[in-house]
Amino acid sequence: MGNEYPRGPVLGTELRRHFSRSTVDKYYRQIWPGMHLRRDVRPTFAVRTRALAVQYPGAVLVGWSAALLWRHPWIPAGVVPHAASAMARRSLPGRRHTRLVPADSRIREEGGMRIADPVATAAELCRTESFVESIIALDGLERAQPGTCTELVGCAEEFPRARFIRRVVEVVDAASPSRDASWLRAQLLQAGICGFRPGEVVKLSPPGGKQVEWSPLLLHRALRAAIVEGTAPRVPGWRIISVPPGYARCEAAAVVARVDEVLCSEARPPLRAAAAVGAMAGKDPRIAPATGSRAATLESSFWLD
């Protein structure tokens, strides 16, 4: 397609100043009424966010739209562009509008767009998301923009749901390696199981061999408990809790119940891998008992420093 046709997003009124209606219909499609995109361009969340800024230049991009522009690593599927304006209309299909505009000191200009700064973005995500989703959102935002949560604590009263914001910020961990790891930790926190941390490395020392570094999904040093994905190794003196591959797609209650069961067990040695998923297997048909010889190999070969 020739360069004479702008990629967009572009207003339909602008297109019709330069091209005939038949040309516009041939080479462009509507993202939503009044906003067009060339047919060979994918309408990604980033493109639709830009479209919202083009259509409403006086509005401020907030929520997940602002998080995207602050390089948040885990934008959830299905979110729609979000803008704030004192003259906001009701939310329409494909975009979201709100009247809660950040203070002038919290607005930044980037690439011709007005964007809520990282602190206001974090506060907006806490305002509009659940406890679990807020933790995931702030884990990723803090990872992309270090220091955001520290600054947010000092000015939480500027924003709605200040108590909720503080509760979320207290448990944010930028070391979380993935959205799924944040999801699991957030589910445990919501159930009152605290102290699991992501991103920690345990050093295993094989007798007469080279030291090995082991990275569980989540680790609780005080309780000497670790959560791993898939087949659970057996490490003497530690409780090793297996969650199934793709655990974030399983029933959250079953995963939490399994962790709670192992932590509350009186037996100090970890349960066998097959028993470790027994309670979960009865609740979710996608969770199958772990099998294999890896557990026995680790048990006989390694100990923890």
Side-chain angles (χ1 to χ4, degrees), residues 210-265:
K210 192 175 181 181
Q211 192 175 67
V212 178
E213 290 188 345
W214 179 54
S215 299
L217 190 63
L218 296 175
L219 186 76
H220 197 309
R221 288 191 175 274
L223 297 178
R224 294 180 67 80
I227 301 176
V228 299
E229 185 177 3
T231 303
R234 287 174 57 84
V235 182
W238 279 66
R239 291 183 172 91
I240 309 299
I241 307 164
S242 172
V243 297
Y247 54 89
R249 295 187 295 275
C250 296
E251 183 185 347
V255 177
V256 171
R258 177 65 201 130
V259 174
D260 188 57
E261 177 190 354
V262 175
L263 294 181
C264 294
S265 63

Side-chain angles (χ1 to χ4, degrees), residues 32-211:
W32 51 69
M35 182 56 58
H36 289 66
L37 188 67
R38 210 168 67 186
R39 290 188 181 276
D40 62 336
V41 180
R42 290 180 57 242
T44 63
F45 179 61
V47 168
R48 289 180 287 121
T49 289
R50 165 68 71 173
L52 194 64
V54 169
Q55 193 165 22
Y56 304 101
V60 181
L61 295 174
V62 296
W64 284 113
S65 286
L68 171 79
L69 297 169
W70 295 121
R71 299 181 295 281
H72 196 292
W74 312 320
I75 303 297
V79 293
V80 297
H82 190 178
S85 171
M87 302 297 291
R89 62 176 65 197
R90 61 185 175 84
S91 294
L92 297 168
R95 62 262 200 218
R96 183 175 183 176
H97 297 271
T98 181
R99 291 180 182 272
L100 189 61
V101 182
D104 289 345
S105 61
R106 293 291 178 193
I107 299 174
R108 302 286 181 267
E109 293 276 350
E110 297 284 340
M113 297 180 287
R114 304 181 75 213
I115 310 167
D117 75 355
V119 171
T121 300
E124 176 65 17
L125 292 173
C126 283
R127 186 180 76 86
T128 57
E129 301 290 347
S130 66
F131 178 69
V132 168
E133 291 299 325
S134 293
I135 290 175
I136 296 171
L138 266 61
D139 275 2
L141 191 59
E142 182 67 19
R143 186 185 179 101
Q145 301 292 330
T148 295
C149 290
T150 300
E151 187 177 349
L152 179 57
V153 170
C155 61
E157 293 298 334
E158 293 181 20
F159 305 100
R161 303 188 75 189
R163 290 179 61 187
F164 180 80
I165 288 173
R166 289 197 180 93
R167 183 185 169 207
V168 172
V169 169
E170 282 177 359
V171 293
V172 167
D173 196 326
S176 186
S178 68
R179 178 181 174 85
D180 285 357
S182 285
W183 177 89
L184 178 57
R185 188 170 54 84
Q187 295 289 353
L188 297 177
L189 288 166
Q190 185 170 246
I193 302 174
C194 306
F196 278 96
R197 293 288 308 277
E200 294 201 39
V201 176
V202 178
K203 293 180 180 179
L204 303 172
S205 300
K210 192 175 181 181
Q211 192 175 67

